[in-house]
């Protein structure tokens, strides 16, 4: 195993983590501010990817597609919030789970209706094609590095938004006492719509970015959604810092587990069993990590609310 | 004095009778398809009765019961495969195609998995509990599809339906009657639990855990027991479901299945004895009726479900049998 391969896998893990962060940040923000568990978040991821692929194919520009994905996901988020989600804030979590599960069925089937069952493909923009040399030999895809860059920019942007702006102040106030800030004259229902649309836009951005690496198809959001749940459970629901930490942890553990476990098991097991066991074990690894963390910290690592 | 002939009791008896009479009539008229449809309703209802113990009685919103449903299914599939190929399981133990033995294995396996999963998940509550049960179910799902010995992503076919002493299970009607009998047993268990001291403790754990602890009963143990019993009933239904389809599929373990089980309960009425039965009837009939009209039936199912959650709380039982009564 060379150093270059190790660095490459670490970067892959980081890229997965950053992508999970884009999903988890929205989920955790929506839970923290509105107390809502949103299963349909994966649908915004899918909507972003489909919007980007369609617009990029029509205009020939990935960048216009990327803007379209942000607008589509944010608009879908705002519409869904005003039509459905708004009625769920006062309900228990069971009703929220069911209503957003119903939204997934509607979104998935609706997208299949519009676009058919065949996957769409999205090309990496020419500007970001190519590779970067790694220390110790080997190369790394420039596009994946760019995704990591976008994730870092979004993380810093969210931090500044929440700690330095008026909107962020209202979001923080909404987290701690919604009646009080409503009494102070803040239009709480508009604030909720904005937060929901912001979360949806981040998910749409993640979908569009990943769309160029994988095929764009119905149901692509669901595996990512569940990983994002694992992330926010590990990080502590409601905490953006926790989401960032959890996302990078999950991304790196998952990627490195798939890469290192076969090699580690090779030392103790005969080769015929290694592939079998390491494959199964690697796919369970992040859930085992999650169970371990929860066994010691039942509310996650950076719980926002005690 | 407690009234015995309530609106709910009449509704329950009507539903139980309907579920029995329709397949009998279909069998007489030589329409085996409807018998199979009724069997599907019965098995899904049993799975949801299991979940209803945790969700309805205990207020534990498990979003991972597909794990137990699938585990039961795989128990049936694995035993049947070994018996079919005449391979011993391990340590020279022979596999079997006898349904009661398979059910026992499925139920014990689910109990053994539910205890550690429940012990970790029940340390948390609320949204955390929902997400953790979901994550554990996904862990088992990924394990099943990445473990090639038992079919991996392709699932596991059961070439000949497993046997039950004194019945020809290959015929739709005897198999339906076996499932129906087990559903009645499951409902009896739910009813007995709900009326027992244990059930009272579970109710209290849902409503006010501090008070329960104050009278000297640990809520954690009560909840864990309920979670394990609930998993075992759902696992039994999983074994039947695999036999019904002659196929143990990884999709039985998927999170869509967990969602569907919750949907069955909510459509029918949460915490009600016959809620899962009413829900399973509605769900399978929607699936059949809408599926006959349009390929996009899931879109309409989503819309109906959204309507039920937003506007018709209490589900079908709430509409037909009125509000839940206590005492």
């Amino acid at each position: 195993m060379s150093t270059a391969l190790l660095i490459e896998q670490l970067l892959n893990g980081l890229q997965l983590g950053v992508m999970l962060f884009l999903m988890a940040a929205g989920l955790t923000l929506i839970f923290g501010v509105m107390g809502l568990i949103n299963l349909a978040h994966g649908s915004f991821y899918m909507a972003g990817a489909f919007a980007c692929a369609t617009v990029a194919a029509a205009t020939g520009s990935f960048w216009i597609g990327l803007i379209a994905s942000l607008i589509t996901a944010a608009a879908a988020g705002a519409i869904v919030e005003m039509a459905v989600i708004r009625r769920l804030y006062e309900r228990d979590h069971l009703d929220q789970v069911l209503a957003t599960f119903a939204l997934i069925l509607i979104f998935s089937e609706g997208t299949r209706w519009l676009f058919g069952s065949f996957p769409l493909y999205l090309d990496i923009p020419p500007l970001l094609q190519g590779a970067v040399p790694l220390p110790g030999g080997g190369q790394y895809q420039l596009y994946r590095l760019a995704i990591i860059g976008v994730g870092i920019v979004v993380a810093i942007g969210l931090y500044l938004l929440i700690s330095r702006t008026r909107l962020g102040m209202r979001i923080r106030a909404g987290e701690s006492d919604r009646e009080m800030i409503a009494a102070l004259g803040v239009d709480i229902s508009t604030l909720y719509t904005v937060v929901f649309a912001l979360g949806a836009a981040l998910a749409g951005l993640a979908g569009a970015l990943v769309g160029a690496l994988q095929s764009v198809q119905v149901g692509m959001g669901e595996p990512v959604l569940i990983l994002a749940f694992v992330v926010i459970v590990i990080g502590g629901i409601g905490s953006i810092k926790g989401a960032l930490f959890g996302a990078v942890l999950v991304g790196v553990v998952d990627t490195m587990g798939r890469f290192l476990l076969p090699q580690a098991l090779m030392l103790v097991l005969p080769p015929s069993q290694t592939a079998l066991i390491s494959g199964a074990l690697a796919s369970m690894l992040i859930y085992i990590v999650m169970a371990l963390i929860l066994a010691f910290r039942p509310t996650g690592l950076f719980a926002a609310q005690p | 004095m407690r009234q015995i002939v309530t609106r709910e009791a009449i509704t329950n008896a009507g539903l139980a009778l309907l579920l029995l009479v329709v397949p009998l009539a279909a069998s007489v008229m030589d329409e085996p398809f409807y018998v199979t449809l009724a069997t599907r309703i019965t098995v899904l209802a049993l799975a949801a009765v299991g979940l209803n113990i945790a969700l309805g009685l205990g207020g534990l919103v498990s979003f991972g019961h597909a794990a137990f449903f699938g585990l039961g299914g795989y128990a049936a599939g694995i035993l049947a495969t070994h018996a079919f190929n005449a391979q011993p399981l391990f340590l020279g133990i022979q596999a079997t195609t006898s349904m009661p033995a398979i059910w026992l294995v499925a139920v014990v396996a689910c109990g053994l998995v539910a205890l550690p999963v429940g012990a970790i998940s029940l340390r948390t509550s609320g949204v955390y509990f929902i997400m953790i049960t979901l994550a554990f179910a996904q862990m088992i799902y990924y394990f099943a599809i990445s473990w090639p010995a038992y079919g991996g992503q392709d699932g596991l076919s059961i070439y000949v339906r497993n046997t039950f002493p004194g019945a020809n299970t290959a015929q739709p009607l005897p198999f339906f009657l076996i499932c129906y009998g087990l559903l009645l047993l499951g409902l009896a268990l739910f009813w007995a639990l709900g009326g027992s001291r244990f059930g009272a403790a579970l109710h209290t754990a849902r409503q006010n855990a501090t008070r329960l602890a104050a009278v000297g009963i640990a809520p954690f143990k009560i909840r864990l027991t309920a979670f394990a019993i609930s998993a075992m009933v759902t696992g039994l239904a999983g074994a039947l479901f695999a036999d019904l389809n002659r196929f143990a599929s990884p999709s039985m373990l998927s999170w869509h299945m967990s969602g569907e089980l919750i949907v069955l309960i909510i459509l029918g009425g949460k915490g009600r004895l016959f809620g899962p039965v009413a829900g399973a009837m509605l769900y399978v009939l929607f699936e059949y009726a809408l599926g006959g009209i349009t390929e996009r039936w899931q879109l309409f199912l989503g819309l109906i479900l959204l309507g039920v959650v937003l506007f018709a709380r209490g589900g079908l039982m709430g509409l037909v049998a009125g509000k839940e009564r206590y005492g």
Side-chain angles (χ1 to χ4, degrees):
Chain A
M1 161 177 48
S2 67
T3 332
L5 199 56
L6 194 69
I7 296 176
E8 188 186 333
Q9 292 296 331
L10 262 177
L11 285 172
N12 277 342
L14 204 58
Q15 183 251 309
L16 176 63
V18 154
M19 216 256 324
L20 288 174
F21 170 69
L22 290 180
M23 284 289 284
L27 270 178
T28 206
L29 202 59
I30 289 168
F31 185 81
V33 178
M34 288 97 107
L36 178 98
I37 170 169
N38 178 25
L39 296 183
H41 210 65
S43 300
F44 300 127
Y45 175 89
M46 179 181 74
F50 270 92
C52 186
T54 311
V55 171
T59 61
S61 163
F62 176 83
W63 306 106
I64 300 178
L66 202 60
I67 294 168
S69 77
L70 281 172
I71 296 173
T72 308
I79 291 169
V80 165
E81 200 275 343
M82 286 189 276
V84 178
I85 302 290
R86 186 167 284 191
R87 300 166 206 276
L88 296 171
Y89 296 137
E90 301 301 321
R91 302 289 192 85
D92 60 11
H93 294 315
L94 182 61
D95 283 355
Q96 298 174 350
V97 163
L98 275 170
T100 51
F101 184 73
L103 284 176
I104 294 181
L105 294 179
I106 296 169
F107 266 109
S108 296
E109 232 17 88
T111 311
R112 199 170 286 143
W113 208 339
L114 282 175
F115 292 91
S117 300
F118 294 104
L120 305 180
Y121 294 95
L122 188 58
D123 288 325
I124 294 174
L127 186 66
L128 296 175
Q129 277 168 1
V132 180
L134 287 179
Q139 298 204 311
Y140 197 72
Q141 249 184 312
L142 182 61
Y143 183 71
R144 284 180 189 265
L145 275 184
I147 293 185
I148 298 176
V150 169
I152 295 170
V153 169
V154 169
I156 296 171
L158 267 182
Y159 170 75
L160 292 177
L161 175 78
I162 288 180
S163 62
R164 297 291 160 84
T165 64
R166 181 161 287 268
L167 176 65
M169 199 192 290
R170 287 180 175 169
I171 289 175
R172 279 181 287 139
E175 270 177 334
S176 37
D177 197 332
R178 71 176 80 176
E179 279 86 11
M180 190 54 90
I181 74 155
L184 288 173
V186 173
D187 182 354
I188 193 97
S189 68
T190 309
L191 177 70
Y192 283 0
T193 310
V194 168
V195 170
F196 200 85
L198 176 68
L202 288 177
L205 176 66
L209 290 175
V210 171
L213 293 173
Q214 309 167 345
S215 58
V216 175
Q217 56 190 342
V218 174
M220 65 187 287
E222 294 169 10
V224 185
L225 173 80
I226 291 166
L227 283 183
F229 277 154
V230 172
V231 165
I232 64 173
V233 164
I234 287 178
I237 303 177
S239 158
I240 301 256
K241 199 190 344 171
L244 181 61
F245 183 84
V248 173
L249 182 74
V250 167
V252 171
V253 165
D254 190 52
T255 311
M256 295 315 275
R258 284 172 206 281
F259 171 59
L260 291 178
L261 261 181
Q263 318 212 4
L265 286 175
M266 200 98 82
L267 303 173
V268 286
L269 285 173
S272 60
Q273 291 185 353
T274 308
L276 194 75
I277 294 177
S278 61
L281 205 58
S283 59
M284 292 166 70
L285 194 60
I286 50 165
Y287 301 101
I288 297 171
V289 169
M290 180 197 74
L292 280 177
I293 289 177
L294 287 171
F296 294 101
R297 297 285 294 265
T299 50
L301 295 173
F302 298 90
Q305 292 140 329
Chain B
M1 210 184 104
R2 189 168 171 175
Q3 202 184 346
I4 297 191
V5 187
T6 55
R7 215 168 117 194
E8 177 155 5
I10 298 169
T11 313
N12 291 352
L15 287 173
L17 208 62
L18 185 67
L19 188 55
L20 181 63
V21 167
V22 169
L24 283 177
S27 186
V28 169
M29 290 188 286
D30 200 26
E31 294 272 6
F33 173 75
Y34 291 98
V35 182
T36 306
L37 205 64
T39 316
R40 190 175 156 78
I41 292 177
T42 309
V43 174
L44 286 175
L46 180 62
V49 166
L51 177 59
N52 207 17
I53 294 173
L55 196 151
L57 294 181
L60 307 169
V61 184
S62 165
F63 202 3
H65 257 51
F68 307 116
F69 193 63
L71 216 56
Y74 270 89
I78 289 171
L79 284 172
T81 308
H82 276 278
F84 187 76
N85 299 332
Q87 290 167 330
L89 283 170
F90 49 87
L91 305 173
I93 299 174
Q94 290 299 322
T96 171
T97 58
S98 164
M99 278 189 190
I102 288 173
W103 298 340
L104 185 69
V105 172
V107 165
V108 170
C110 285
L112 288 179
V113 172
L115 284 177
V117 166
I120 294 175
S121 308
L122 285 167
R123 288 173 56 86
T124 65
S125 61
V127 183
Y128 281 91
F129 184 79
I130 298 175
M131 292 185 185
I132 288 162
T133 46
L134 171 64
F136 274 120
Q138 284 304 106
M139 176 170 114
I140 293 171
Y141 171 74
Y142 284 119
F143 180 78
I145 62 171
S146 58
W147 189 262
Y150 292 115
Q153 298 201 345
D154 299 329
L156 203 54
S157 285
I158 300 174
Y159 295 103
V160 182
R161 192 174 278 162
N162 293 308
T163 54
F164 188 81
N168 178 8
T169 52
Q171 293 290 326
L173 191 64
F175 184 62
F176 165 77
L177 290 173
I178 292 169
C179 296
Y180 186 77
L182 286 174
L183 174 63
L184 290 186
L185 279 179
L187 288 167
L189 175 71
F190 183 89
W191 181 76
L193 278 180
S196 67
R197 284 166 57 89
F198 173 79
L202 191 58
H203 268 299
T204 320
R206 185 185 73 206
Q207 285 162 356
N208 194 331
T210 318
R211 283 194 184 172
L212 188 67
V215 297
I217 302 172
F220 178 81
K221 282 184 193 160
I222 298 286
R223 288 192 179 124
L224 186 58
T225 314
F227 188 77
I229 295 174
S230 156
M232 283 147 80
V233 176
T234 303
L236 175 63
L240 293 173
F241 196 74
D243 253 330
L244 170 66
N245 300 324
R246 293 180 199 170
F247 185 50
S249 151
S251 72
M252 287 175 73
L253 290 162
S254 79
W255 73 293
H256 266 270
M257 193 70 230
S258 298
E260 273 174 33
L261 290 178
I262 301 184
V263 168
L264 296 182
I265 292 181
I266 301 303
L267 277 181
K270 181 179 66 159
R272 310 288 283 257
L273 179 60
F274 269 68
V277 181
M281 282 179 168
L282 264 187
Y283 186 84
V284 174
L285 290 181
F286 275 152
E287 188 182 42
Y288 171 64
L290 289 173
I293 303 168
T294 163
E295 241 177 281
R296 312 277 170 227
W297 68 275
Q298 289 212 326
L299 178 71
F300 298 98
L301 178 72
L303 289 172
I304 291 168
L305 186 58
L306 201 57
V308 170
V309 176
L310 291 181
F311 305 113
R313 306 172 76 181
L316 186 67
M317 292 297 288
L319 281 177
V320 179
K323 282 199 168 150
E324 200 168 357
R325 286 157 185 267
Y326 297 97

